[in-house]
Amino acid sequence: MALIVKKFGGSSVANNERLFNVARIIEKDYKKGNDVIVVVSAQGDTTDDLIAQAYSVNPNGPSKREMDMLISAGEQMSISLLAMAIETLGLPVVSLLGWQAGFVTDSHYSIARIKRIESERLRAELAKKNIVIVAGFQGLNKYDDITTFGRGGSDTSAVAIAAELKADLCQIYTDVDGVYTADPRIVKNAKKLDEITHDEMLELATLGAQVLNNRSVEMAKKHGVELEVLSSLTPDVKGTIVKEVVSMEKTIIRGVAKDSNVSRISIVGLADQPGIAFKVFNRLAQAKVNVDIILQSVGRDGTKDITFTVTKDQCDAAIESIKALSDSLKYKHVVHDESVCKISIVGTGMETHPGVAAKMFEALYDADINIQTISTSEIKISVLVDIKDAERALNAVHDKFIH
């Protein structure tokens, strides 16, 4: 007997037909004698519909606390409906909201972090031989307010439960049957991977691959949770295993990712002196703005420029933070550009293979695509290109490395 944690996304439970499909997947593992905990997202477009309704009531922007109260209702609907579907199969089941399952979080509404899971209720329900259905992406803070974890947070809920209860298997069901070398909807020659390391998956998730939430992969790596990514529509098809060490020989490039949710911000004419970068990024950190690529120009005539990227939804907050420092920084001006896209290659094998960057740049040159910005690490290379060239760039780079 094993403990299996399964997570199903919104598309997997979008309607009654799919609810019963998921119920039968759960039934199959339960009848083998396994303990089963299931984490579920809101059905289909429910979250988006709730957000739209909120802004129709308050066009100026609802508070994050009230938004968490509202959008957490989507998961409450899906867990109860799935539990009802499982009941029709004659199986014992109980649905739990995040707080009932013991999720204790900090108080950063809409982007809350899990502090701990008080797992007594989960263990008690498993001891009763119940199938446990848990609302993903939500918990409770010290004020007894509902908090949510941000987009993709149900993945994080599932991994957190698997880590806390030391589950034998954590399966993430999506609308694709595994992790591919690129988005198969854009790149026709994309290939499904049998295995991928936590580090490679974390980079791909952070860089725009939408198969797994990056926070969930980070947590899986930290706690040694092995993941399997597979499709709820073809559950018998072997998926992709995400784990610390893969058995296959290292390939140079494991995947290529595209991220269109990028804004580039440049602060022009900063004083070329110590402490300037600290002032800029400390202010951004205080505003909870996550910064990705950072570039600083060589100082000329006593000034320098700093360029960095943020997600589009944090662009305004970043610019406001910088403008608040205008008196102390005394820069010339701030410019931003949202018509950019980040193309990245990821692979632990590039550490020991020279010439990877040159090969990537050659692919973009051959496709007549201009590179605006370059950023590198030990296992990734990212470039910014014009958003109109994004899909061509993704295909060109993928074809160069993966055949």
Side-chain angles (χ1 to χ4, degrees), residues 200-217:
E200 290 169 329
M201 190 66 246
L202 180 58
E203 288 287 4
L204 285 172
T206 304
L207 295 167
Q210 298 176 359
V211 180
L212 284 175
N213 172 269
N214 60 318
R215 280 172 61 183
S216 70
V217 182

Side-chain angles (χ1 to χ4, degrees), residues 35-328:
D35 289 331
V36 183
I37 297 178
V38 182
V39 176
V40 188
S41 299
Q43 289 183 289
D45 297 325
T46 300
T47 301
D48 290 334
D49 292 343
L50 289 171
I51 292 171
Q53 187 172 2
Y55 278 88
S56 73
V57 173
N58 183 354
N60 296 322
S63 69
K64 289 183 178 181
R65 181 195 181 279
E66 296 308 324
M67 283 299 292
D68 278 4
M69 182 68 78
L70 176 67
I71 62 177
S72 63
E75 278 69 24
Q76 181 168 355
M77 293 168 58
S78 61
I79 61 169
S80 56
L81 290 170
L82 179 57
M84 292 173 193
I86 292 171
E87 282 178 337
T88 67
L89 301 177
L91 301 177
V93 62
V94 62
S95 64
L96 301 176
L97 294 170
W99 67 267
Q100 292 174 303
F103 279 85
V104 179
T105 76
D106 63 22
S107 296
H108 292 119
Y109 300 103
S110 81
I111 53 169
R113 295 272 176 173
I114 301 167
K115 297 176 72 173
R116 64 184 181 278
I117 299 178
E118 296 175 348
S119 57
E120 291 82 3
R121 178 72 183 274
L122 290 173
R123 296 178 191 275
E125 297 297 345
L126 290 175
K128 297 175 189 175
K129 298 302 177 183
N130 281 328
I131 296 167
V132 185
I133 314 295
V134 178
F137 138 101
Q138 60 179 253
L140 207 69
N141 66 17
K142 64 182 180 181
Y143 305 111
D144 288 339
D145 287 342
I146 293 174
T147 56
T148 66
F149 307 159
R151 289 288 188 176
S154 293
D155 290 356
T156 306
S157 298
V159 173
I161 290 173
E164 170 67 22
L165 299 183
K166 295 180 171 51
D168 299 284
L169 181 61
C170 184
Q171 296 177 308
I172 308 294
Y173 288 83
T174 71
D175 53 3
V176 293
D177 59 357
V179 180
Y180 281 73
T181 52
D183 188 336
R185 294 167 296 186
I186 300 174
V187 179
K188 292 181 180 179
N189 297 326
K191 293 177 171 57
K192 189 171 80 172
L193 299 168
D194 293 329
E195 297 178 328
I196 188 170
T197 67
H198 284 124
D199 284 338
E200 290 169 329
M201 190 66 246
L202 180 58
E203 288 287 4
L204 285 172
T206 304
L207 295 167
Q210 298 176 359
V211 180
L212 284 175
N213 172 269
N214 60 318
R215 280 172 61 183
S216 70
V217 182
E218 185 177 19
M219 183 178 291
K221 175 178 170 60
K222 179 180 179 181
H223 295 282
V225 176
E226 188 171 302
L227 307 174
E228 183 182 11
V229 180
L230 63 170
S231 171
S232 60
L233 302 180
T234 54
D236 295 326
V237 175
K238 179 176 169 54
T240 300
I241 302 297
V242 184
K243 59 183 183 179
E244 189 60 24
V245 179
V246 298
S247 57
M248 67 178 67
E249 184 180 351
K250 284 185 179 180
T251 54
I252 299 176
I253 299 302
R254 193 57 61 89
V256 184
K258 174 179 77 72
D259 185 3
S260 301
N261 185 24
V262 179
S263 293
R264 183 179 58 200
I265 299 173
S266 296
I267 312 173
V268 180
L270 287 161
D272 186 18
Q273 61 189 41
I276 294 298
F278 165 72
K279 288 182 180 180
V280 170
F281 294 106
N282 183 55
R283 183 69 181 219
L284 292 171
Q286 290 175 359
K288 306 296 181 186
V289 173
N290 292 316
V291 177
D292 184 20
I293 296 172
I294 302 174
L295 296 172
Q296 180 173 293
S297 67
V298 176
R300 292 190 183 90
D301 300 323
T303 67
K304 61 186 176 186
D305 304 336
I306 292 180
T307 297
F308 59 92
T309 61
V310 298
T311 56
K312 287 181 178 176
D313 62 322
Q314 291 195 310
C315 184
D316 289 344
I319 292 172
E320 287 175 13
S321 297
I322 294 163
K323 288 183 176 178
L325 295 174
S326 59
D327 290 341
S328 61

